[in-house]
Amino acid sequence: MSDYTQIRLDIADGIATITLHRPEKMNAFTGTMMNEMIDAFDKTDADDSVRAVIVTGSGDRAFCAGADLTPDDGKHVFSSGEAVTDLSDSRVRDGGGLLTLRIYQSKKPVIGAINGAAVGVGVTMQLPMDIRLASTKARFGLVFARRGIVPEACSSWFLPRIVGLPQALEWCMTGRVFDAYEALRGGLVRSLHEPEDLMPAAVALAREIADNTSAVSVAMTRAMLWHNPGLSHPMEAHRVDSRAIYTLSRGKDAAEGISSFLEKRAPTYPGRVSSDMPSFYPWWNEPGWE
């Protein structure tokens, strides 16, 4: 999977950039793109030099115009074309959901730089990203009800958590396309930028993480903030963060964090996500498909 055909993966100075690359089709989503993006996230997780991941689209027209409605391979558009009798068959699984679950499981922080039109899966693939920045020219549309289907890619779980249930219901039930300013007001994106300023802003944010924080601390923090809000009682979160503080405070990154602060210098954290995560990580049970 090193020779991608529908995405680009560039890694430099601790930052990985995944670019959806089908500019002739407004970066429309396909099964190939899904597989390549999943592979790219496998690579960024395995590479300890990567401190943050930016996802953007090729060109200035679109981030991702949704599912390719006229795929070159002639395959079924929204799901597998194969008939099954059991809906627990793995062929039923939604491709957008396979991707968003993989992004959700990322050990590195993920920043979306939404450079243009984002429709359907072009919106829902953004939802497990940790921070979303958008061009002032971006457009968004959760258009599923206007295509005779329903929101996919686990968006019925992610979207209300990000923007609240009333806003999620309005956007999904109307299926209308809305501009970047409404996306900002609704809480879908963190900030708006002129097109030429979008990537520099995303890189600056990634750089802030890469230059100043412990990779192990960020990986643990990301997991805690995504997983712990679903716990049934704050005591369950207390168990996790107490064990994390106890374990990490005795580690080399905590020692470096204190020393660099007292010595008024930039930190150089030695911890690696591949080898230095606390022994109790992960503390949750990852459910399977059934």
Side-chain angles (χ1 to χ4, degrees):
M1 293 291 296
S2 58
D3 296 325
Y4 298 127
T5 61
Q6 297 190 5
I7 70 168
R8 297 287 183 266
L9 173 61
D10 300 293
I11 299 175
D13 299 325
I15 299 172
T17 303
I18 298 172
T19 305
L20 314 186
H21 190 65
R22 299 186 74 213
E24 74 286 354
K25 288 206 170 184
M26 297 182 69
N27 305 320
F29 187 74
T30 69
T32 297
M33 181 180 286
M34 175 200 75
N35 287 325
E36 291 184 355
M37 291 185 73
I38 289 172
D39 186 78
F41 277 99
D42 289 343
K43 284 184 168 63
T44 58
D45 265 2
D47 187 343
D48 282 321
S49 76
V50 173
R51 295 297 322 283
V53 181
I54 298 171
V55 182
T56 193
S58 181
D60 56 7
R61 296 177 61 207
F63 171 73
C64 173
D68 190 342
L69 300 182
T70 58
D72 293 335
D73 58 15
K75 290 185 177 180
H76 200 261
V77 173
F78 294 125
S79 64
S80 170
E82 300 180 50
V84 300
T85 56
D86 180 1
L87 290 178
S88 64
D89 190 301
S90 63
R91 289 173 289 179
V92 170
R93 296 189 68 177
D94 156 51
L98 292 171
L99 174 59
T100 56
L101 285 170
R102 180 61 189 86
I103 299 173
Y104 176 66
Q105 293 161 356
S106 174
K107 295 177 181 177
K108 312 297 174 69
V110 184
I111 299 168
I114 314 307
N115 58 299
V119 178
V121 70
V123 179
T124 57
M125 74 163 70
Q126 303 172 29
L127 302 180
M129 300 177 192
D130 304 297
I131 307 168
R132 290 162 297 280
L133 290 67
S135 162
T136 55
K137 305 298 184 184
R139 297 291 184 271
F140 301 82
L142 294 144
V143 298
F144 308 100
R146 298 192 181 202
R147 303 292 183 268
I149 55 173
V150 296
E152 38 62 274
C154 313
S155 56
S156 58
W157 190 91
F158 286 110
L159 187 63
R161 283 168 167 78
I162 295 169
V163 304
L165 182 59
Q167 183 65 86
L169 285 166
E170 179 189 337
W171 281 343
C172 290
M173 291 193 300
T174 65
R176 61 183 172 80
V177 174
F178 51 94
D179 64 22
Y181 297 92
E182 183 172 343
L184 179 65
R185 291 194 302 272
L188 181 60
V189 300
R190 169 255 202 190
S191 55
L192 302 185
H193 306 268
E194 292 304 315
E196 65 274 14
D197 297 329
L198 176 63
M199 280 303 293
V203 170
L205 186 56
R207 185 86 274 137
E208 185 174 4
I209 295 170
D211 291 347
N212 299 293
T213 66
S214 155
V216 173
S217 295
V218 169
M220 281 295 295
T221 299
R222 184 183 197 275
M224 290 165 68
L225 292 179
W226 273 115
H227 288 278
N228 289 2
L231 298 176
S232 61
H233 191 280
M235 175 56 78
E236 296 182 64
H238 179 56
R239 291 171 186 152
V240 175
D241 55 44
S242 295
R243 289 166 181 160
I245 287 287
Y246 182 88
T247 302
L248 295 184
S249 68
R250 284 157 172 73
K252 48 196 174 183
D253 277 6
E256 171 61 11
I258 293 170
S259 296
S260 61
F261 175 77
L262 294 176
E263 296 166 11
K264 296 180 173 57
R265 60 172 173 82
T268 305
Y269 292 106
R272 296 175 176 269
V273 171
S274 62
S275 58
D276 297 318
M277 296 294 282
S279 60
F280 67 92
Y281 172 91
W283 58 90
W284 63 90
N285 294 318
E286 195 73 33
W289 171 264
E290 58 183 36

